[in-house]
Every structure is written in structure tokens, then in C-alpha cells.
Amino acid sequence: MGASDVNLAELIGSRICHDLISPIGAITNGLELLDMVGAVQGPEMELISGSVGSAGARIRFFRVAFGSASDQPLGRAEITELLNDVERAGRVRVNWNLTEPVPRNQVKLAFLALMCCESAMPLGGTVDVTSQGANWIVTGSADKLNVDSDLWKHVVTERFPNKLTPAQVQFALLPETAKTMGRRVAAETTATRVSLRF
């Protein structure tokens, strides 16, 4: 995978998210109108509303993680609101410990790293996103982790001996995207913690 492949993947990600966010938003608006007039109520409506909200949040998250990214800044409030929306339907809690606005392309790297951590926490856990100067650290912690050692070892080397599945694509995109920004990825795993630095 080279820089041109990363760019193509970003364009595809942006296009898919762009085309899906409008109908999801329309469904959300329709549900709000139904709720206002009291046309439909009950557990069925709550299930539909929750599912649409979760889908919308994930698409917005994927738009940053997989879409085209510039150095346009994203503020803390916007990032934490998005992460809170994603958390509602998941088992992983995210602590965004950066207070200042940061370039969107760096948030993209953090979201890809977050997805790598999330893959090791099937029963849930906590992900902390911090920075030390220009370096970022994304750390996942849980009582029980399921770490695919090949993925975590090769996210650094960028050479994966086994074919990646769609659920693992973030492990290939993270180092390639980091390289286009002049950064390198380092990884560390223990029994209860996984960490990515870039």
C-alpha cells in the first residue's frame, strides 16, 4: 500500500460517508417529527431511534477516520461530542485529553489508532488519547484483552503476513497515513494494555 493507495482509500471513504450521512439525517429528522406529534411511541420507536443515532455517529466517526483529511483544526468540543455519540452504542469509553484544537489529519490518526485499540477490547474498556509535544499516544486498557499479536507487531513494520479482513483495515491505514505525514507508528502491548504512538 502506497501514498496513492491511501489517497484513493480516503476518497472512497469520504464518498461513502457523504452519500450515507444525508439519508441517515433525513431519517433522524423524520423520527423527531413523528415524536413531536406523538404519532408513534413505545419500545419499537426507541429501538429505531437508537439505531439511527448510532449509525449516524459511526458514519461521522468513519468520515474522519477513513475520509480525506486536511490540516483544518477540529475543536475539543466537536471531537468529544462525536466520541460521546459513538460511545452510546459501544462498550469502549474514550478520554480525549487534549484541550486545544488539533488538525483534522492528526485526529484521523488518533481515530484509526482508537479503532486498533477497540479491536483488542471485545468486552469493552477505556481508551485514553494524549499528546506529549508533537507526539500522540493512544492507549487502550481493559481487564481482559484479545490482542492479535501479528497485527500489533506488523502495524509498525507495515508488512502483514496474513491477509487483512475488513475489520482490520485500520491496522494497514494507520502506518501508511502516518507516513504521509512524516510520522512513524510504535506499538506496545501488555496483558491489560495496548498502546500506539505516532
Side-chain angles (χ1 to χ4, degrees), residues 20-37:
L20 288 177
I21 201 68
S22 291
I24 291 288
I27 295 169
T28 301
N29 291 339
L31 289 171
E32 287 174 1
L33 289 172
L34 287 172
D35 188 49
M36 285 171 57
V37 297

Side-chain angles (χ1 to χ4, degrees), residues 179-198:
K179 190 193 301 181
T180 65
M181 295 167 54
R183 293 173 177 262
R184 291 179 55 101
V185 175
E188 181 185 336
T189 64
T190 68
T192 59
R193 191 172 65 87
V194 289
S195 183
L196 289 159
R197 296 170 180 263
F198 47 86

Side-chain angles (χ1 to χ4, degrees), residues 8 76 119 128 154 169:
L8 183 59
R76 174 182 166 78
S119 73
D128 288 287
H154 294 290
V169 68

Side-chain angles (χ1 to χ4, degrees), residues 12 34 42 46 57 99 104:
I12 292 168
L34 287 172
E46 289 177 19
T99 56
R104 187 182 180 102

Side-chain angles (χ1 to χ4, degrees), residues 13-56:
S14 290
R15 174 60 191 263
I16 291 171
C17 291
H18 178 270
D19 287 359
L20 288 177
I21 201 68
S22 291
I24 291 288
I27 295 169
T28 301
N29 291 339
L31 289 171
E32 287 174 1
L33 289 172
L34 287 172
D35 188 49
M36 285 171 57
V37 297
V40 182
Q41 293 183 353
E44 298 87 354
M45 186 67 160
E46 289 177 19
L47 178 62
I48 294 168
S49 180
S51 296
V52 169
S54 173

Side-chain angles (χ1 to χ4, degrees), residues 151-160 171 175 184-188 196:
L151 287 175
W152 284 86
K153 180 168 61 173
H154 294 290
V155 73
V156 177
T157 67
E158 304 174 44
R159 294 188 182 102
F160 297 92
F171 284 94
R184 291 179 55 101
V185 175
E188 181 185 336
L196 289 159

Side-chain angles (χ1 to χ4, degrees), residues 66-175:
F66 296 122
S68 301
S70 65
D71 56 3
Q72 175 187 357
L74 286 176
R76 174 182 166 78
E78 184 178 355
I79 295 166
T80 55
E81 179 186 355
L82 172 54
L83 292 172
N84 289 338
D85 288 346
V86 171
E87 281 179 15
R88 285 193 190 100
R91 296 179 176 167
V92 174
R93 301 290 165 246
V94 182
N95 297 317
W96 186 266
N97 297 306
L98 290 86
T99 56
E100 299 299 319
V102 288
R104 187 182 180 102
N105 54 10
Q106 293 183 34
V107 178
K108 174 187 179 77
L109 288 179
F111 281 13
L112 288 169
L114 191 161
M115 291 176 70
C116 292
C117 293
E118 190 178 37
S119 73
M121 298 187 284
L123 301 178
T126 303
V127 175
D128 288 287
V129 181
T130 59
S131 67
Q132 293 176 346
N135 299 316
W136 288 63
I137 304 112
V138 180
T139 304
S141 306
D143 293 334
K144 185 171 176 63
L145 293 178
N146 183 11
V147 177
D148 184 324
S149 56
D150 276 344
L151 287 175
W152 284 86
K153 180 168 61 173
H154 294 290
V155 73
V156 177
T157 67
E158 304 174 44
R159 294 188 182 102
F160 297 92
N162 302 316
K163 188 174 180 181
L164 295 177
T165 68
Q168 300 166 336
V169 68
Q170 62 271 16
F171 284 94
L173 284 174
L174 175 60

